[in-house]
Amino acid sequence: MPELAEVEFFRRRWSAGHGARVLAVHAHDRARVFRECDVARLKKKLTGARLLGSATTAKQMLFRFSSGRWLGVHLGMSGELRVEPSDYAPAKHDHLILVQRQRQLVFNDPRMFGGVLFSTGRTAPDWWTRIAPAILSDQFTGKAVADFLRRRARAPIKAVLLMQERFPGIGNWMADEILWRAAIHPARPAGSLTPTEVRTLHHECRMVCRLALRTIAGVGGRLPPNLNVRIPKTWLFWHRWEDGGRCPRTRVPLARATIGGRTTCWSPARQKLR
DNA sequence: CCAATTGTTATTTA
DNA sequence: ATAAATAACAATTG
């Protein structure tokens, strides 16, 4: 499920535990989510540490603990973070649980495409600082997008939008939402976009990120009761999976096909090949 | 049983 | 050599 704003939504759940100590750590070290992580060391170093703060960039989350301990979480395709009461008993696919006095912080991921990283150090780990500059940062410029599209000229634009090294945090549904708003057909080769289309694409990338954060993640306010509840019905989002779904702007039936290896949804009336 | 899934990476193909 | 396409990873649901 989780793309940019959903990742932020889940991170904020765990901020209930900011300031509190970790009394115990439960982890199944055989689970695939720990494939790049020394679980014994994680348990040892995190037990007794205090959760001081956290951040999201792209689809990555970083949790900062006392004495220079850092926990990274990626949710993969099916991961989520939850907060459970102290008497909660671990359920299936709960791979990592940080037990605090008042609550338990749970990482659950059935498909285990997600992953956990642990490291120590005075500053944030390398893998975190190496993540591409956020789409909502000043470094995400129109020129950067244009240059990138030129280097990926033959790939379908849909596939290019999924490349995290330039569009960090964009996933399948956000890519479709951006192209739909920009009125660009997902199968167009990236190099075939006109300068105007590239400018529009750049703008809509920022727009969709900003709106998704505001609605899903509840930035600037409290968390919404569930993930998608505030996404307006005017977005492609609500119609992309349903059979007989129609474009919310033109009312024309939506098209669906595999493009760039992913199920892609678009409005033939707005988004034309040429 | 078959197909589907909002992510990423390794491998193969062009 | 590089970019693009495909397979693989795992679990569940329809």
Side-chain angles (χ1 to χ4, degrees), chain A residues 80-99:
Chain A
E80 65 171 6
L81 299 187
R82 301 196 316 270
V83 177
E84 299 289 354
S86 337
D87 61 356
Y88 171 78
K92 202 172 184 184
H93 308 306
D94 287 350
H95 303 301
L96 177 68
I97 300 184
L98 307 182
V99 181

Side-chain angles (χ1 to χ4, degrees), chain A residues 12-28:
Chain A
R12 285 170 164 236
R13 281 187 169 170
W14 271 24
S15 49
H18 282 177
R21 208 172 280 288
V22 175
L23 304 179
V25 177
H26 300 149
H28 281 210

